[in-house]
Amino acid sequence: VQASLSTAVPNLQVSSPYGSTQPNFSLRGVSVANEYNANQASPVGVYIDDVYIASRTSQGMGLFDLDRVEVLRGPQGTLFGRNTTGGAINFITKKPSLGATTGRVEAGYANFNTFSAQGAIETTLVPDALGVRAAINYQKGDGQLRNVAPGGADANSIDTLQGRVSVRYRPAGGPLDINLRAYAGRDRGTQAGVHGLAAARTGLGFFEINENRVGKNKTDAWGAALNVAYSLSNALTFTSITSIDGGKQNLQQAADGAPIDILDINWRSKFGQASEEARFNYEGQGWNLVAGGFYGEDITKTDNTFNIASALGPGVNGGFYQHYRQKRSSWALFAQSDVDLSDKLVLTAGARYTSDDATYRDGRAFLFLGNIGGAQTPLATTVPCPTAPGTCAYNPNAHYDISGDGSAVTGRLALSYTFDSGLLGYASYSRGYRAGAFNGGGYTSSAGITYIKPEQVNAYELGLKGRLAENRMTLSAAAFYYDYSNQQVQDTRPGPVSFLVNAPKSEIYGAEIEAGYRVSPDLRISGSAGYLHAQYKELSLQGTDLSGNDLPFAPRWTVQLGFDWTLAHPASGDLTLSPTVNYFSRQYFSPFNAKNAAGTGQVNAELQQPGYAKVNLALVWARDGLTVKGWANNLFEKKVYAYGLDLRGAGFPYNFLVPGTPRTYGVSIAKAF
């Protein structure tokens, strides 16, 4: 689902240093940039059934048996859970319809010996009153990147199992509608393959690695949500959404791409969150109103280990252990109203007050002597320690605590006009806010562990959307301008040491168009294009002026073209061919772009992906709920990088690059009943 979003939505990118785990969403250039730590919140909010998912590790779970996916572009500063600066992606799962017993089963097989199975069944226990729906998703496949190291596992394997149960209760078909959803899932695939040390890549193909310690990406997530809606009258509804979620990650990541030990990291965190949103919806004559409040809190407990070869001298291995506990809480009051100024002109106005508090507790880290997987002998405390590693005596009782808080008033103001043709035109202003954050990457010194400023976006947008040509054509177009301040980015320096800093000012502007046209009953064409100018207006890192550089993961152009063509009707079914081509222009992975900080070993020109196009293809036969599908993604096997991180600047003799997915292809059969 994540990968298909980036090809369906212009100016949306999805990437990760960990494969399918902990996805990073970049929408119109607003993203976590080069930030990779598990404690950070995404500026593009991810929701499942209107429930905000704080942990980025858990954001890839539960994305099956979906009713629809809603992508809201631009700052979400009035409604929608927590404030975000980039937008929101809301995955809406299927819930019981309280009708007949229905369901769907699907099984598939693909290259890399990949088996997949999905199933869902829904039954109504009491007509129009009580229903249950259960769904399951399973995938297991071999590694997609061949490992030539003797005995080494192949990278990018798939091993996922997820399940969900939904219960809906509407007593006597009356005004009360209760929906309870519970889910759990786990992933056990191997880590994303890494291109690292150049000498280890001699003679290798792009989709091959030479790595002695390919690790496992072990992630778990679970949760439950209760949505209670009560119609107080024909015009007024009260809704309460209560949720609790948890999860954990244990990622064993070889971060050197070599058959020798250089850098091996164990990313280990546990997550927990709870939230409550209560709101009133009023639909009156000529005006609508949504008003309510939100409270949410989340906890991240982290225990990471960084094993570094020859950390203490030639042939003397060691590394760093890191621990901290972060807690964030947020509450907000909000209201938004739509007022009909005429039968065609509507004014929308909304405001929100948000208050955030955060604590970083029991922060401690130490330098140790030891090999990967072996005993660790602590040598020196590094957190708390304001100076270089090894300069503070080891103290097992020392810990580092800081706190942070912030608040903001955000909102939205818009005018929309419905033309005689049915097209809707609009102009809007919105302000979004992303709370301040702690540096989860500080383990060599406490000097870089601070609470940095919140992000803020002032966004202006003009747009047009609707249907044309007797409803045969759909059209959506928008132009936008963002005044973006204090983006939170990582600055990796020799040591190695990481600093989380604010980019004082950025400017983003661009345009998007999406269209679909039904040429005939058997042929529909679709396309989209996005143009994006996303640059830093003011940023300096390590004494290097980066003003005028592109924001990371913000290609100038994204284009998608495709069609669905029903070729024939064999065996009383429909045989449909659906090819798509997706183009992305050059994108950088680092705020430095191709610049290098003076006096460092940086080679940041390596941290980019030139423009490329990928072709996907599907051939589907369908009849009476039975569907047989053959498909291929990345048909011509374009060799592209999905993620990159500066490690040369941290003192290593290579950069960290994650190759994208090779060509995949397979078949599936599904039956709805």
Side-chain angles (χ1 to χ4, degrees):
V1 174
Q2 301 165 20
S4 62
L5 276 177
S6 62
T7 59
V9 179
N11 290 328
L12 173 64
Q13 306 292 303
V14 185
S15 62
S16 174
Y18 311 111
S20 60
T21 298
Q22 196 172 303
N24 297 337
F25 296 96
S26 174
L27 190 53
R28 291 180 173 175
V30 180
S31 72
V32 292
N34 59 339
E35 166 60 44
Y36 51 84
N37 291 290
N39 67 314
Q40 299 303 335
S42 172
V44 179
V46 175
Y47 297 78
I48 299 179
D49 295 328
D50 292 341
V51 173
Y52 175 77
I53 306 299
S55 165
R56 288 189 289 141
T57 297
S58 301
Q59 289 173 356
M61 290 284 189
L63 308 185
F64 61 99
D65 195 36
L66 298 176
D67 182 64
R68 64 188 186 277
V69 180
E70 301 171 345
V71 179
L72 303 180
R73 299 157 178 145
Q76 303 301 308
T78 307
L79 308 177
F80 252 103
R82 289 193 180 177
N83 246 306
T84 56
T85 47
I89 302 174
N90 192 12
F91 297 94
I92 307 297
T93 65
K94 291 183 178 179
K95 63 182 180 181
S97 61
L98 305 183
T101 296
T102 61
R104 187 177 187 273
V105 291
E106 179 178 340
Y109 182 77
N111 61 329
F112 302 108
N113 198 32
T114 302
F115 295 87
S116 63
Q118 285 192 5
I121 185 168
E122 174 185 325
T123 185
T124 299
L125 304 176
V126 179
D128 202 36
L130 179 62
V132 178
R133 185 177 183 92
I136 192 168
N137 178 48
Y138 172 76
Q139 284 184 291
K140 187 174 178 63
D142 297 338
Q144 298 176 349
L145 269 66
R146 177 174 172 263
N147 189 3
V148 303
D154 292 340
N156 296 67
S157 72
I158 300 171
D159 184 356
T160 182
L161 177 63
Q162 304 167 349
R164 181 171 60 243
V165 176
S166 302
V167 179
R168 186 180 182 189
Y169 180 49
R170 192 173 64 188
L176 180 63
D177 194 353
I178 301 173
N179 286 272
L180 175 64
R181 169 183 55 81
Y183 73 95
R186 59 100 178 129
D187 279 333
R188 295 293 184 269
T190 51
Q191 72 166 82
V194 174
H195 289 187
L197 188 68
R201 295 208 49 76
T202 302
L204 296 185
F206 186 83
F207 296 110
E208 292 181 323
I209 60 171
N210 186 7
E211 173 58 67
N212 63 328
R213 292 185 184 271
V214 169
K216 283 275 187 109
N217 280 352
K218 299 179 181 179
T219 62
D220 299 85
W222 56 86
L226 179 65
N227 184 310
V228 179
Y230 188 81
S231 297
L232 299 168
S233 69
N234 291 334
L236 184 62
T237 301
F238 172 76
T239 302
S240 168
I241 304 174
T242 307
S243 71
I244 184 169
D245 297 86
K248 59 183 179 179
Q249 71 172 26
N250 181 0
L251 314 179
Q252 192 67 45
Q253 183 185 50
D256 45 41
I260 58 174
D261 294 331
I262 301 175
L263 176 62
D264 195 277
I265 306 172
N266 181 209
W267 305 97
R268 189 185 293 260
S269 293
K270 293 182 179 180
F271 313 97
Q273 71 170 73
S275 67
E276 167 65 30
E277 182 169 315
R279 61 178 184 253
F280 289 92
N281 291 66
Y282 176 78
E283 297 183 7
Q285 188 70 27
W287 71 290
N288 300 329
L289 175 68
V290 179
F294 169 85
Y295 176 79
E297 65 177 40
D298 63 88
I299 296 174
T300 301
K301 181 181 178 182
T302 291
D303 293 272
N304 294 332
T305 303
F306 303 84
N307 290 96
I308 305 172
S310 300
L312 305 173
V316 185
N317 299 331
F320 298 89
Y321 167 79
Q322 173 198 31
H323 170 87
Y324 64 86
R325 183 177 185 273
Q326 174 186 277
K327 180 179 179 180
R328 297 178 296 200
S329 61
S330 178
W331 66 267
L333 298 173
F334 58 83
Q336 181 168 297
S337 180
D338 298 322
V339 180
D340 295 342
L341 301 181
S342 71
D343 60 343
K344 295 183 178 181
L345 185 63
V346 178
L347 171 67
T348 299
R352 176 188 183 109
Y353 176 78
T354 301
S355 177
D356 289 295
D357 291 282
T359 58
Y360 179 101
R361 294 289 183 265
D362 197 25
R364 45 191 166 88
F366 58 80
L367 174 68
F368 65 80
L369 168 69
N371 298 320
I372 298 174
Q376 298 177 357
T377 302
L379 300 177
T381 289
T382 55
V383 174
C385 180
T387 51
T391 58
C392 294
Y394 176 65
N395 180 356
N397 298 315
H399 57 88
Y400 186 72
D401 299 336
I402 57 173
S403 300
D405 58 60
S407 62
V409 175
T410 55
R412 173 178 169 81
L413 188 66
L415 278 174
S416 59
Y417 184 83
T418 303
F419 295 92
D420 291 339
S421 64
L423 286 176
L424 177 72
Y426 65 90
S428 70
Y429 162 77
S430 55
R431 170 178 288 185
Y433 154 89
R434 178 190 179 203
F438 298 113
N439 178 18
Y443 56 88
T444 60
S445 168
S446 54
I449 305 177
T450 58
Y451 187 74
I452 66 169
K453 298 176 183 177
E455 296 182 357
Q456 183 174 292
V457 171
N458 290 303
Y460 308 83
E461 185 168 338
L462 295 171
L464 190 69
K465 56 186 175 181
R467 294 179 176 270
L468 298 168
E470 299 178 337
N471 289 330
R472 292 165 62 186
M473 181 177 183
T474 59
L475 175 68
S476 178
F480 53 88
Y481 176 86
Y482 290 1
D483 180 8
Y484 188 14
S485 58
N486 292 326
Q487 184 194 26
Q488 299 163 10
V489 299
Q490 275 283 355
D491 184 16
T492 305
R493 305 177 189 177
V497 61
S498 249
F499 288 84
L500 187 64
V501 300
N502 292 113
K505 188 173 179 58
S506 304
E507 179 183 65
I508 300 173
Y509 59 82
E512 299 157 348
I513 185 168
E514 300 166 82
Y517 184 70
R518 175 71 65 181
V519 179
S520 71
D522 290 335
L523 178 61
R524 183 182 186 276
I525 58 175
S526 62
S528 65
Y531 171 77
L532 187 64
H533 175 99
Q535 290 188 345
Y536 293 108
K537 301 294 287 184
E538 182 184 344
L539 176 62
S540 179
L541 297 178
Q542 300 182 47
T544 305
D545 183 12
L546 304 181
S547 301
N549 277 14
D550 287 351
L551 273 65
F553 303 100
R556 191 63 54 94
W557 290 98
T558 56
V559 180
Q560 181 270 335
L561 291 171
F563 62 81
D564 301 306
W565 183 16
T566 302
L567 303 171
H569 304 276
S572 301
D574 295 331
L575 184 65
T576 303
L577 177 69
S578 300
T580 60
V581 58
N582 304 280
Y583 172 76
F584 302 88
S585 64
R586 182 181 63 182
Q587 58 182 301
Y588 293 103
F589 301 140
S590 164
F592 280 89
N593 290 187
K595 293 182 179 180
N596 301 315
T600 72
Q602 288 182 342
V603 186
N604 287 318
E606 296 175 342
L607 301 176
Q608 62 176 291
Q609 173 54 52
Y612 65 94
K614 285 186 177 182
V615 175
N616 300 331
L617 182 68
L619 183 65
V620 178
W621 177 84
R623 186 190 72 184
D624 299 329
L626 178 65
T627 303
V628 180
K629 179 179 181 180
W631 56 270
N633 292 330
N634 192 12
L635 183 63
F636 299 109
E637 200 156 65
K638 295 296 290 185
K639 301 174 177 65
V640 303
Y641 286 113
Y643 185 90
L645 186 69
D646 171 31
L647 287 184
R648 292 185 185 273
F652 294 93
Y654 61 90
N655 276 326
F656 177 97
L657 288 160
V658 176
T661 305
R663 176 173 51 241
T664 55
Y665 52 89
V667 295
S668 65
I669 182 169
K671 175 63 177 176
F673 57 89

